[in-house]
């Protein structure tokens, strides 16, 4: 790799079952993700793999249920990239141009069971079933749920197609039970940007101003972040614990209290923000630093964009 850490912003990643994490990044020179291509680098604690350059700013990644060795990446405009060792192919989660609202921004991609879900602004929820076709599963949802026309969904999670939970602007929490969407009461009005659904059906939902909600979607309790001035950027479930990340810190939930994790960064300001787990490994990806949890100790690993000496 020849790109320096100082020239890119790490924006997230996807942990794989083999212990690899696919780290994604955008160049700092771009004004925003719309004008910057993304690069995805397979990364293990012992070094990087071959990078993949994508022409769009990427906002989400997930495993591809239809290809056990492939992954998917979501572009801000609804582009969907299928990535395998032999190359990259591009489609869109909007099958027809008329399906896509003007100035659409897609935020999150999630594989749930055999299906793939993409959510974004204008309350967009697109789903790809086993036939490989993308369809709309939230037509006119803003009307029958009484939603503000300027809002949308920022993340989605679930156990299977009979329990899908989407979260978004103004404290929005909506549940799909396999037949219809229902808006459930929310204990907050701040933007909710991250969700992880536990095997038990309980959720951890993170948002602005240090908001963390835990419990079943219709009976959530509020957990106070020790640093309420920070937004919760990411939630993950690992080793039977709930972990959450702000831009600077990582916490885990112990009963009803959040305990700060010790991220021992070698230099610079603390950097966290995005959590991803698979294969018995939990990764924290910040704008400028990557950590891995090993035997209850967080260890910083070199960035795949670190300048070679």
């Amino acid at each position: 790799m020849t790109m320096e850490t100082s020239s890119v912003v790490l924006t997230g990643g996807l942990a794989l079952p083999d212990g690899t994490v696919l780290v994604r990044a955008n160049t700092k020179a771009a004004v925003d993700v719309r004008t910057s291509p993304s690069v995805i680098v397979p990364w293990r604690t012992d070094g990087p793999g071959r990078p993949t350059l994508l022409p769009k700013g990427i906002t989400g990644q997930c495993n591809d249920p239809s290809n056990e060795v492939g992954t998917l990446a979501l572009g801000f405009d609804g582009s969907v990239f299928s990535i395998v060792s032999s190359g990259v192919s591009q489609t869109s989660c909007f099958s027809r141009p008329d399906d896509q609202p003007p100035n659409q921004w897609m935020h999150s991609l999630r594989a749930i069971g055999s299906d793939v879900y993409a959510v974004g602004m204008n309350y967009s929820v697109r789903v790809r079933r086993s036939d490989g076709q993308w369809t709309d599963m939230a037509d006119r949802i803003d009307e029958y749920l009484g939603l503000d026309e300027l809002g949308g969904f920022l993340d989605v999670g679930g156990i299977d197609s009979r329990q899908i939970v989407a979260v978004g602007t103004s404290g929005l929490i909506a549940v799909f039970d396999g037949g219809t969407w229902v808006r459930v009461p929310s204990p907050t009005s701040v933007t909710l940007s991250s969700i992880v659904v536990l095997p038990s059906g309980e959720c951890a939902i993170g948002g602005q101003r240090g908001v963390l909600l835990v419990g079943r979607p219709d009976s959530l309790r509020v957990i106070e972040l020790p640093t309420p001035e920070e937004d919760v950027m990411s939630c993950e479930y690992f080793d039977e614990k709930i972990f959450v990340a702000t831009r600077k810190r990582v916490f885990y939930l112990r009963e009803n209290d959040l305990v700060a994790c010790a991220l021992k960064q070698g230099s610079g300001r603390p950097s966290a923000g995005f959590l991803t787990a698979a294969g018995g490994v939990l990764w924290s990806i910040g704008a400028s630093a990557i950590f891995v949890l090993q035997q209850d100790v967080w260890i910083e690993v070199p960035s795949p964009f670190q300048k070679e000496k």
Side-chain angles (χ1 to χ4, degrees):
M1 297 295 297
T2 59
M3 188 178 293
E4 296 185 39
T5 303
S6 60
S7 67
V8 300
V9 176
L10 309 183
T11 59
L14 173 67
L16 302 180
D18 66 357
T20 302
V21 63
L22 302 180
V23 179
R24 68 178 186 264
N26 294 90
T27 62
K28 283 185 177 179
V31 175
D32 61 42
V33 70
R34 291 172 293 184
T35 61
S36 171
S38 291
V39 62
I40 295 178
V41 182
W43 186 248
R44 298 176 64 93
T45 55
D46 57 357
R50 181 180 177 182
T52 298
L53 183 65
L54 300 177
K56 303 283 187 179
I58 298 303
T59 57
Q61 297 164 263
C62 73
N63 291 300
D64 187 350
S66 67
N67 185 340
E68 62 182 20
V69 296
T71 63
L72 301 173
L74 176 68
F76 74 94
D77 62 350
S79 300
V80 179
F81 299 91
S82 177
I83 305 171
V84 295
S85 59
S86 59
V88 178
S89 60
Q90 179 179 347
T91 58
S92 174
C93 65
F94 296 98
S95 303
R96 302 173 304 172
D98 292 345
D99 292 340
Q100 186 170 4
N103 302 314
Q104 179 62 32
W105 189 287
M106 299 302 289
H107 279 280
S108 181
L109 188 71
R110 186 88 65 170
I112 302 173
S114 60
D115 301 330
V116 178
Y117 297 81
V119 299
M121 299 306 291
N122 300 297
Y123 307 103
S124 292
V125 183
R126 312 292 296 182
V127 60
R128 192 196 74 178
R129 306 291 188 191
S130 56
D131 62 3
Q133 300 300 309
W134 287 92
T135 58
D136 183 9
M137 64 175 294
D139 184 39
R140 300 177 66 184
I141 188 175
D142 55 330
E143 295 181 22
Y144 64 80
L145 293 188
L147 302 173
D148 185 337
E149 63 180 12
L150 299 179
F153 294 119
L154 276 70
D155 201 5
V156 62
I159 299 176
D160 54 38
S161 60
R162 295 168 296 178
Q163 184 185 345
I164 305 299
V165 186
V167 299
T169 53
S170 302
L172 174 61
I173 304 170
V175 177
F176 184 77
D177 62 5
T180 187
W181 285 97
V182 176
R183 184 177 186 178
V184 298
S186 176
T188 183
S189 61
V190 304
T191 293
L192 301 173
S193 57
S194 177
I195 181 172
V196 61
V197 180
L198 282 56
S200 64
E202 292 193 331
C203 305
I205 301 171
Q208 293 177 330
R209 303 175 193 169
V211 166
L212 176 65
L213 310 177
V214 177
R216 294 194 172 275
D218 58 355
S219 58
L220 293 162
R221 66 186 190 277
V222 179
I223 304 295
E224 294 185 0
L225 200 69
T227 54
E229 71 279 4
E230 297 185 68
D231 297 339
V232 176
M233 306 300 297
S234 180
C235 302
E236 186 58 280
Y237 185 67
F238 177 77
D239 196 23
E240 300 185 347
K241 299 185 186 75
I242 293 171
F243 288 81
V244 301
T246 68
R247 293 189 188 278
K248 298 179 180 180
R249 300 171 178 85
V250 177
F251 303 87
Y252 70 91
L253 185 63
R254 185 172 61 192
E255 296 181 352
N256 287 318
D257 296 316
L258 286 167
V259 180
C261 299
L263 301 185
K264 298 181 180 179
Q265 190 162 346
S267 61
R269 298 178 179 178
S271 181
F274 191 89
L275 300 172
T276 179
V281 182
L282 175 62
W283 298 84
S284 167
I285 302 172
S288 60
I290 303 173
F291 291 86
V292 62
L293 181 60
Q294 295 182 340
Q295 297 180 346
D296 296 325
V297 177
W298 286 92
I299 300 172
E300 184 178 9
V301 298
S303 164
F305 302 97
Q306 185 174 358
K307 185 179 180 180
E308 293 181 347
K309 297 181 180 180

